Amino acid sequence: MDDISSILKEKGLKVTPQRLAIINMLRNTKEHPSAETIYKTLSSDFPTMSLATVYKTLEMLKNIGLVQELNVGEGSFRYDANVNSHPHLICYGCNRVDDLDDSALDDLLGEVSKYTDYLLKDQKLYFYGYCPECKNKKVN
Amino acid sequence: MDDISSILKEKGLKVTPQRLAIINMLRNTKEHPSAETIYKTLSSDFPTMSLATVYKTLEMLKNIGLVQELNVGEGSFRYDANVNSHPHLICYGCNRVDDLDDSALDDLLGEVSKYTDYLLKDQKLYFYGYCPECKNKKVN
DNA sequence: CTAAATGCAAAGCCTTTGCAAGTCT
DNA sequence: AGACTTGCAAAGGCTTTGCATTTAG
C-alpha cells in the first residue's frame, strides 16, 4: 500500500509529524532536494526541527526503501521518493535535476549489455547538459 | 603532447617528484584509486609526502584536464587519468571499478537523445553488478 | 634569487552519533 | 508506562586552507 502511516506502523516505526512532513515533501516535488533544502523548506512549519532529524529520517526512509539517495556530484546528496533507479538529467544552466523516462533505461541497459560481461544489477546514470529552457538562453 | 613535464612547464607549473609520481601512478593503473590509496601507495617512495599534497596535485591535474574525478558512491572520490567521460562498471563482489568500452558510450548517448530535449554535454554513468569473476563465485 | 610547491596542522563541510528530554502507541 | 524519536551539541570522515619551510627554474 501507499499510505505512509501504515507502512511505518507495519515496521514498528513511529509516525511523527516530522517524518510525515519529510516524506510528503519528497513525494510532492520533482526537485530532488538535498537534506539542507528539505530542512529549510520545512523550517517554516517545523521551526524547532533539527537537521539531524532530517538526516535520521532520510536514513530510515532509505532503509525501508521509500527513498533513494542521489549523488549528482555536488558534495551533498539529493533525495528522491522515486526509488527505482532511473537516469537523471542535470542542467548546467539552472542546476535542475530531471528524471529521464523509464523506458529509456531499458534501452540503455540493452546497449550496455552488448559491451560487457558484467551481470548488471543497478545503475546510477547522470547526463549533464542544458535543459530545453536553458539551451535557448545560452550563448554558445 | 603526452609528456607530463612539458605539459606542466607549458602552463608555468613546476615539475616536482611528487607530481610526477602521482600522475604516473594514475596513468599506470586501471584501479581508479582514491586520494588515500594514492597516498598510501606512494608512501614507500615518498615517506614525507603529505595527503594534502596529493589533494593539491589532484586538484591541479583536474584543472589542467589531465585527470578526472569519479564518484561511484563511496564517500570519497576516485581518480582517473582517462579524462574522456566514459561509463564505469562497479562490481558489488570485489568493488573493482572497470571502464566500459568507449564505443558503448556513443550508443548510449544515441539512445538517451531519443528520450530528452536536453542538449547533452557530458555524463557520469555507473553500472553496478557482478564482474565476470564474481558472478561465477556468488551464490544467488 | 624568487615564485611556486610541500608538509604540517588547523579549519570546513556534510553527515553521523550520543544522550537527555520529549512523544507516540 | 515503555520504547522510540527528537533536538542539541559534539564527533567523524574527507577535503581544503593557511602558512612557514623548502625546492624548482
Side-chain angles (χ1 to χ4, degrees):
Chain A
M1 70 190 58
D2 224 43
D3 176 44
I4 301 151
S5 298
S6 315
I7 298 175
L8 293 178
K9 283 177 187 163
E10 259 172 35
K11 313 244 177 192
L13 296 165
K14 288 183 174 169
V15 179
T16 67
Q18 293 91 332
R19 287 177 171 180
L20 291 177
I22 291 169
I23 183 69
N24 280 327
M25 170 180 171
L26 280 171
R27 289 190 171 189
N28 293 319
T29 181
K30 292 180 176 177
E31 282 180 29
H32 308 85
S34 65
E36 187 72 33
T37 302
I38 296 171
Y39 172 65
K40 285 183 182 157
T41 305
L42 297 179
S43 283
S44 42
D45 291 323
F46 299 86
T48 68
M49 183 171 62
S50 72
L51 231 197
T53 296
V54 175
Y55 276 110
K56 286 171 184 168
T57 299
L58 291 170
E59 170 74 17
M60 178 232 91
L61 292 171
K62 260 193 294 175
N63 291 340
I64 65 175
L66 253 45
V67 148
Q68 73 168 308
E69 210 169 50
L70 307 182
N71 190 322
V72 305
E74 292 175 320
S76 58
F77 292 109
R78 286 170 176 256
Y79 296 86
D80 193 338
N82 179 353
V83 290
N84 47 349
S85 48
H86 52 289
H88 289 92
L89 296 156
I90 300 98
C91 180
Y92 282 144
C94 59
N95 294 314
R96 61 186 292 178
V97 178
D98 285 318
D99 293 328
L100 185 61
D101 194 296
D102 261 19
S103 45
L105 181 57
D106 296 333
D107 289 359
L108 292 176
L109 292 178
E111 287 300 323
V112 176
S113 49
K114 293 181 191 166
Y115 290 93
T116 181
D117 289 325
Y118 264 62
L119 175 62
L120 299 177
K121 287 290 188 182
D122 197 10
Q123 61 288 318
K124 294 180 185 166
L125 309 183
Y126 302 107
F127 294 93
Y128 298 79
Y130 293 89
C131 70
E133 286 147 42
C134 288
K135 77 178 174 190
N136 296 322
K137 290 183 205 143
K138 92 190 179 69
V139 190
N140 96 323
Chain B
M1 68 189 61
D2 222 44
D3 175 44
I4 302 151
S5 297
S6 314
I7 299 175
L8 293 178
K9 282 178 188 162
E10 259 173 34
K11 313 242 177 190
L13 296 164
K14 287 183 175 170
V15 179
T16 68
Q18 293 91 330
R19 288 177 169 180
L20 291 177
I22 291 170
I23 183 68
N24 281 327
M25 170 179 171
L26 280 170
R27 290 190 169 189
N28 292 319
T29 181
K30 292 180 175 175
E31 283 179 30
H32 307 85
S34 65
E36 187 72 33
T37 302
I38 295 170
Y39 173 65
K40 285 182 182 160
T41 304
L42 297 179
S43 284
S44 43
D45 290 323
F46 298 86
T48 67
M49 181 171 63
S50 72
L51 232 197
T53 297
V54 175
Y55 276 110
K56 285 171 183 167
T57 299
L58 290 171
E59 170 74 18
M60 176 232 95
L61 292 171
K62 261 193 295 175
N63 291 341
I64 65 175
L66 253 44
V67 150
Q68 74 168 306
E69 209 168 49
L70 307 182
N71 190 324
V72 305
E74 293 174 319
S76 59
F77 292 109
R78 285 170 177 257
Y79 296 86
D80 194 338
N82 178 351
V83 292
N84 46 347
S85 47
H86 52 290
H88 289 92
L89 296 157
I90 300 97
C91 180
Y92 283 144
C94 59
N95 295 314
R96 61 187 290 178
V97 179
D98 284 319
D99 293 329
L100 185 61
D101 194 297
D102 261 20
S103 45
L105 182 58
D106 296 332
D107 289 358
L108 292 175
L109 293 178
E111 288 300 321
V112 176
S113 50
K114 294 180 190 165
Y115 290 94
T116 181
D117 289 327
Y118 264 63
L119 175 62
L120 298 177
K121 286 291 189 182
D122 197 9
Q123 61 288 320
K124 294 179 185 167
L125 309 183
Y126 303 106
F127 295 92
Y128 298 80
Y130 294 89
C131 71
E133 285 146 44
C134 288
K135 77 178 172 190
N136 297 321
K137 290 182 206 144
K138 92 190 178 71
V139 191
N140 99 323

